[in-house]
Amino acid sequence: MSDVTKRPRMWRLGRLGRIDPALLQMAGLTLLVFVVMAALNPEKFLRPYVFESITYVAPELGLLSIAMMLAMLTGGIDLSVIGIANLAGILAGLYFHAHGGSSGPGLTRMAPGPVAVGIVIALSTGLVAGAINGVLIARVRLTPILATIGSGQIFTGIALVLTGGPAIVGYPRLWGAIGNDSLWGVAIPLLVLLAAAALIGLMLTRTSFGIALKLIGTNLRAARFAGLRTARTIFLSYVLSGLLASMAGILLSARTNAAKSDYGVSYLLEAVLIAVLGGTNPAGGRGSVPGIVLALAALMLLSSGLQLLRFSNFLVDFVWGAFLLLSIALNALRNRTR
Amino acid sequence: MSATLNAPPVRSGIARTLLRRPEIAVASLALVSMLAIGAINPAFWSAGNLFSLLRANVIIGILSLGVMMIMLSGGIDVSFPAFAIAAMYVTIKTMIAWNYDGVVLPFIGATAIGLLLGLVNALFVTRLKMIPLIVTLGTGTAVRGFLLGVIGVSTINIDHMPQALIGFARTDLIDVTQANGQHVGLSAMVLVYLVLALGVHLMLRHTLIGRSIYALGGGEEAARRAGFSVPGTVFFIYGLAGALAGFTGLLHGSMIWIANPHDMAGLELDVIAAVVLGGASIFGGRGSVLGTMLGVFTLVMLTNSLIIMHIDTTWQRIVTGAIVIVAAAITSWRDRGRSA
């Protein structure tokens, strides 16, 4: 409602005014985190290595956050993204071990062909898992929370049954390159994230599918009466979310040279936090890719800064949780003053 | 949506009864599973196994009472395992530091810690109007992070555990001598669970605050117009759920003789599965103590009997996940039929 009444004033402000104020606030926060961390610990924080390592570690979390945002756009949530990511990495790993042996040159020096097959296996895992979520939510009409809690357990469970518990260690060198090498001086994971972010960003703002997603999240009933194919759109959003999660699984297993059924459990809260902090309304209807990228940058700077200050990982978790609550409180206050 | 989905489904008399009384459906499922598991391995029916199953109901059961109330009101909670463990660990650490050995005061303390944390959830849900899942994800992570990052990471084992707590949790109700001459006892903690369940049941059915929880689940606006205080009810529910979590945390530590700050991670999934299996609807307004207890019993029995049925325990997660999806699908189908 308020968007409609506000629009004329925003047009008068020209190009700059069309930028979402929440986005500007996010950019300010990113800058603030950077300045504070640099001031607290300049000689350790202001080193190229710190920023370079972020460009390798952050993208997998960024992909999961975009996946989370897509589900939140229609008022849903995807709690199965971690399960999908791990299962995708594990299935690809099992294929590599079956094809080239569990260690030795047959595995490490695998040709590009079989490695490409591994990528197809991982991405298909994401598509199928996302489609299962989509059917459960859009056709069987389960609540997204319960559907994805249940399916996430099943995906993790399949990974556990296939591996028996221990991690799958050892991937082809080419697969590892996806997570550890750079192209034109830029980390490959970062390139993957930027490409995915650009595509999803364009899709949300420039295609009828993206507009339909936001309309469904704003008012499902109105969207249905307006003739939108709501079930199909919601289904596709979960397929896309599953695909992004499996890409995160590829990056995670490529960077660490391993995959396990319970890796990255803390990523779930972090993905929700980045989505919410990046201006996504978990009740649906609002969310943007640039917001997610900025929130990701702010939180990665924050956590590497804290780690350099010798905070334990547990304390970093505490700060993330507190940050989520704080951002909820600030959003609530901002909406109240409007 | 296709037209067939929207049309009111035609149902036989039995199906209608089962849907209207989810307790009967879950009880039948429990009975069939018991007979099936017993047929695969008769050891299931030994007193030792049955007693240990009932004992395994206690912790998940009490936590489920809190989650069921929250789902009745239309919310969800994933923070309670962190609250339970924080209350337990802080209480036991304090007892050791003060060299205090007792039962009643520590349980009051743990319950109070849980209550306070639950009220924080309520504050965010009512005053800041945030979705319960996201609030409780945040409070759960923050509390667990604070516990491990500030209070401690080391497990307190049996040598340092307060002896009075262990003694209390070791109390048995009945003692049976099995065919092989082994003594097995039924833990008195089952009684604690039953008393708490009865209390929540009476509160829900026979008090004004109980009716207001159902009213809130039926619709916030409707509850407000009926004269119920919505914030008051929300504070009550999350506060009580937090208090139950704090109490259960200390009970859990006492029952396993260990205070491990990493404990109960992921337990929220089992509890939510049990509550959904018991017929509670996440849309609020539907659910009962009896249904929840039957859901807990069935879930615990199925997951704990995998070993008896010679199935690898790695299948446990798949079983839990399948239960959530199937039970939620049936519930959503029931509620859709009702509103059509």
Side-chain angles (χ1 to χ4, degrees), chain B residues 139-164:
Chain B
T139 51
T141 308
V143 166
R144 179 81 76 171
F146 187 81
L147 179 70
L148 292 168
V150 177
I151 298 178
V153 289
S154 55
T155 297
I156 299 168
N157 59 28
I158 181 161
D159 306 332
H160 300 96
M161 282 289 281
Q163 291 305 311

Side-chain angles (χ1 to χ4, degrees), chain A residues 26 48 65 112 122 163 174 208 217 254 283 324 332:
Chain A
M26 198 57 240
S65 309
T163 60
L174 269 175
S208 56
L324 176 59

Side-chain angles (χ1 to χ4, degrees), chain A residues 86 89-91 93 163 166-171 249 253 256-261 263:
Chain A
N86 287 328
I90 284 173
L91 285 179
T163 60
I168 289 193
V169 183
Y171 278 80
S253 60
T256 58
N257 194 33
K260 192 163 182 268
S261 56
Y263 269 171

Side-chain angles (χ1 to χ4, degrees), chain B residues 302-313 315-316 319:
Chain B
L302 287 178
T303 50
N304 282 25
S305 299
L306 289 179
I307 302 174
I308 278 193
M309 289 192 287
H310 312 296
I311 299 172
D312 202 275
T313 46
W315 285 85
Q316 197 163 324
V319 172

Side-chain angles (χ1 to χ4, degrees), chain B residues 73 118-119 121-129 209 212-213 216 220 223-224 227-239:
Chain B
S73 74
L119 292 178
N121 276 342
L123 186 75
F124 275 93
V125 172
T126 53
R127 299 279 174 235
L128 305 175
K129 302 258 175 281
I209 188 87
S212 79
I213 297 175
L216 186 57
E220 199 176 315
R224 191 174 292 125
F228 290 117
S229 156
V230 172
T233 309
V234 173
F235 270 98
F236 176 81
I237 306 168
Y238 283 90

Side-chain angles (χ1 to χ4, degrees), chain B residues 10-25:
Chain B
V10 185
R11 288 168 188 165
S12 70
I14 298 172
R16 208 179 305 136
T17 318
L18 286 181
L19 286 172
R20 202 175 295 155
R21 303 286 306 170
E23 292 87 359
I24 298 177

